[in-house]
Amino acid sequence: MRNLKICSVAAALALAGCSSEVRNSNDAPGSNTPASSASSAAGEGATPQTRSSATSTSSDEGNSKTKPFGSTFTWDDGVAITISKPQPFQPSPYAASDTKFKKFVIVDVTLKNGSKEPYNAMTLTTTATSGDKQSDGVFDTEKGVDLPTADILPGKTLTWKQAYGVDATGDLVIAVENGFGNAKGYYK
């Protein structure tokens, strides 16, 4: 019974430690990023270690979480992603594509592992919207459009292609997240 009480106290202390706020490395005290959005961007229930992996940006790109295509997001752990400007794309007849769209685009995704550990490319997640619809992406192995599964060693880079359906306006927003619970970045 005594061990149960000790474990309960230890668990309560551990949870209390998780509620502390960790800011993005570029968020200076007094910046225009509210503390509540900094902690909610890191994800509720995230550990202090995952919260510290919020996106950071170089000084020439500002402090925005939304960037134009062709820009680079770099998280505090050193992992960086660049998504090229969308180009027109015609899926092959065997592609698995989103049937609600008639128009498609393709982008190059480049991930650089600036961390000190191997990084599995499947850790990076992307989601996309076009207009008022979610774009589920296109898988077209015939044209080299598929998600990577490889490990990327520290200092190495991996590039792959991703394709998405877009509405008649061609509007596309891609959200990127470096693992569950880390701050998201947005390309538009």
Side-chain angles (χ1 to χ4, degrees):
M1 188 67 152
R2 181 183 169 141
N3 287 341
L4 181 59
K5 287 181 184 178
I6 292 171
C7 289
S8 296
V9 170
L13 290 173
L15 288 174
C18 288
S19 66
S20 64
E21 178 184 331
V22 177
R23 289 185 177 265
N24 181 335
S25 65
N26 287 340
D27 292 344
S31 72
N32 63 0
T33 303
S36 61
S37 71
S39 60
S40 66
E44 291 301 317
T47 65
Q49 291 81 15
T50 59
R51 284 193 196 150
S52 68
S53 294
T55 54
S56 64
T57 56
S58 64
S59 59
D60 63 328
E61 293 176 340
N63 198 19
S64 175
K65 300 279 189 234
T66 303
K67 296 192 175 284
F69 287 102
S71 300
T72 299
F73 279 100
T74 302
W75 283 272
D76 290 343
D77 63 0
V79 173
I81 183 173
T82 305
I83 298 182
S84 69
K85 292 180 181 177
Q87 300 297 319
F89 176 70
Q90 181 61 46
S92 74
Y94 304 106
S97 63
D98 197 336
T99 58
K100 65 182 163 265
F101 296 105
K102 304 292 182 232
K103 184 176 174 183
F104 299 91
V105 295
I106 192 166
V107 295
D108 288 323
V109 179
T110 301
L111 188 140
K112 180 173 183 180
N113 183 3
S115 75
K116 297 184 185 322
E117 300 293 327
Y119 184 90
N120 187 283
M122 290 176 55
T123 304
L124 180 79
T125 58
T126 61
T127 55
T129 57
S130 183
D132 62 353
K133 295 181 178 84
Q134 179 171 330
S135 181
D136 294 327
V138 176
F139 296 94
D140 193 346
T141 54
E142 187 174 310
K143 292 198 173 182
V145 179
D146 204 352
L147 295 177
T149 59
D151 285 340
I152 306 163
L153 294 177
K156 298 294 184 178
T157 301
L158 180 66
T159 300
W160 66 92
K161 296 184 180 304
Q162 287 184 214
Y164 298 96
V166 293
D167 68 5
T169 66
D171 174 55
L172 180 67
V173 175
I174 298 177
V176 295
E177 187 175 8
N178 173 11
F180 179 74
N182 292 328
K184 286 184 182 179
Y186 299 89
Y187 284 95
K188 74 182 234 184

